[in-house]
Amino acid sequence: MTTQYSNQPTGQQHHGAPKAGASGNVFSIIAIFLGVIGFIFLPIVFALGGLIMAIIAKTVRHERLATIAIVVSAVGLVGGMVLGAIFASM
Protein backbone atom coordinates (compact mmCIF):
# COMPACT_ATOMS: atom_id res chain seq x y z
CA MET A 1 0.00 0.00 0.00
CA THR A 2 1.36 3.42 -0.92
CA THR A 3 0.34 6.90 0.07
CA GLN A 4 -1.24 9.24 -2.43
CA TYR A 5 1.66 11.72 -2.16
CA SER A 6 4.66 9.49 -2.76
CA ASN A 7 5.63 6.03 -3.91
CA GLN A 8 6.80 4.97 -0.47
CA PRO A 9 4.89 2.32 1.42
CA THR A 10 2.95 3.55 4.41
CA GLY A 11 4.57 3.16 7.80
CA GLN A 12 8.05 3.86 6.44
CA GLN A 13 9.75 7.17 6.77
CA HIS A 14 12.16 8.63 4.28
CA HIS A 15 15.30 9.87 6.05
CA GLY A 16 16.93 11.40 3.01
CA ALA A 17 19.64 10.11 0.76
CA PRO A 18 23.28 10.39 1.80
CA LYS A 19 25.08 13.44 0.51
CA ALA A 20 26.93 12.87 -2.72
CA GLY A 21 30.41 14.07 -3.51
CA ALA A 22 32.76 15.85 -1.16
CA SER A 23 30.09 17.81 0.67
CA GLY A 24 29.98 15.16 3.40
CA ASN A 25 33.73 15.29 3.99
CA VAL A 26 34.25 19.02 4.37
CA PHE A 27 35.94 18.88 7.79
CA SER A 28 38.21 16.04 6.66
CA ILE A 29 39.31 17.83 3.50
CA ILE A 30 40.08 21.02 5.42
CA ALA A 31 42.00 18.96 8.01
CA ILE A 32 44.07 17.29 5.28
CA PHE A 33 44.87 20.68 3.78
CA LEU A 34 45.88 22.08 7.19
CA GLY A 35 48.06 19.04 7.87
CA VAL A 36 49.95 19.52 4.62
CA ILE A 37 50.38 23.25 5.24
CA GLY A 38 51.51 22.48 8.80
CA PHE A 39 54.27 20.23 7.48
CA ILE A 40 55.75 23.22 5.67
CA PHE A 41 54.83 26.25 7.78
CA LEU A 42 53.94 26.67 11.51
CA PRO A 43 53.07 23.06 12.43
CA ILE A 44 51.90 23.99 15.93
CA VAL A 45 49.18 26.19 14.44
CA PHE A 46 48.14 24.55 11.19
CA ALA A 47 48.76 20.84 11.74
CA LEU A 48 47.39 20.94 15.28
CA GLY A 49 44.29 22.71 13.99
CA GLY A 50 43.98 20.07 11.29
CA LEU A 51 44.33 17.30 13.86
CA ILE A 52 41.57 18.81 16.00
CA MET A 53 39.30 19.18 12.96
CA ALA A 54 40.04 15.60 11.90
CA ILE A 55 39.12 14.27 15.34
CA ILE A 56 35.88 16.25 15.25
CA ALA A 57 35.17 14.87 11.77
CA LYS A 58 35.75 11.33 13.04
CA THR A 59 33.85 11.43 16.32
CA VAL A 60 31.03 13.91 15.74
CA ARG A 61 30.40 13.94 11.99
CA HIS A 62 31.48 10.34 11.15
CA GLU A 63 33.14 11.34 7.88
CA ARG A 64 34.77 8.71 5.67
CA LEU A 65 38.02 10.61 5.10
CA ALA A 66 38.52 11.43 8.78
CA THR A 67 41.04 8.63 9.40
CA ILE A 68 43.17 9.82 6.50
CA ALA A 69 42.92 13.37 7.81
CA ILE A 70 44.08 12.28 11.27
CA VAL A 71 47.12 10.52 9.79
CA VAL A 72 48.04 13.41 7.48
CA SER A 73 47.66 15.98 10.26
CA ALA A 74 49.68 13.92 12.74
CA VAL A 75 52.46 13.41 10.18
CA GLY A 76 52.33 17.13 9.37
CA LEU A 77 52.60 18.01 13.06
CA VAL A 78 55.51 15.70 13.88
CA GLY A 79 57.24 16.08 10.52
CA GLY A 80 56.92 19.85 10.56
CA MET A 81 58.39 20.07 14.03
CA VAL A 82 61.32 17.81 13.07
CA LEU A 83 61.87 19.76 9.86
CA GLY A 84 61.79 23.02 11.81
CA ALA A 85 64.31 21.69 14.33
CA ILE A 86 66.64 20.64 11.53
CA PHE A 87 66.47 24.02 9.85
CA ALA A 88 66.83 25.85 13.18
CA SER A 89 70.04 23.99 14.00
CA MET A 90 71.72 24.95 10.69
Side-chain angles (χ1 to χ4, degrees):
M1 175 179 210
T2 60
T3 63
Q4 93 184 47
Y5 301 108
S6 70
N7 290 332
Q8 293 190 9
T10 56
Q12 294 183 359
Q13 297 177 349
H14 182 65
H15 295 289
K19 295 179 182 178
S23 63
N25 291 315
V26 174
F27 272 47
S28 297
I29 292 170
I30 294 171
I32 290 169
F33 180 74
L34 288 174
V36 170
I37 295 298
F39 184 78
I40 300 166
F41 184 71
L42 290 175
I44 295 293
V45 175
F46 291 111
L48 189 60
L51 189 61
I52 291 169
M53 284 192 73
I55 291 170
I56 290 171
K58 179 79 170 176
T59 58
V60 176
R61 296 176 52 106
H62 305 290
E63 295 180 6
R64 289 184 339 191
L65 295 176
T67 305
I68 296 169
I70 289 172
V71 170
V72 169
S73 295
V75 168
L77 181 63
V78 174
M81 292 172 71
V82 168
L83 195 64
I86 290 172
F87 280 124
S89 67
M90 290 180 147

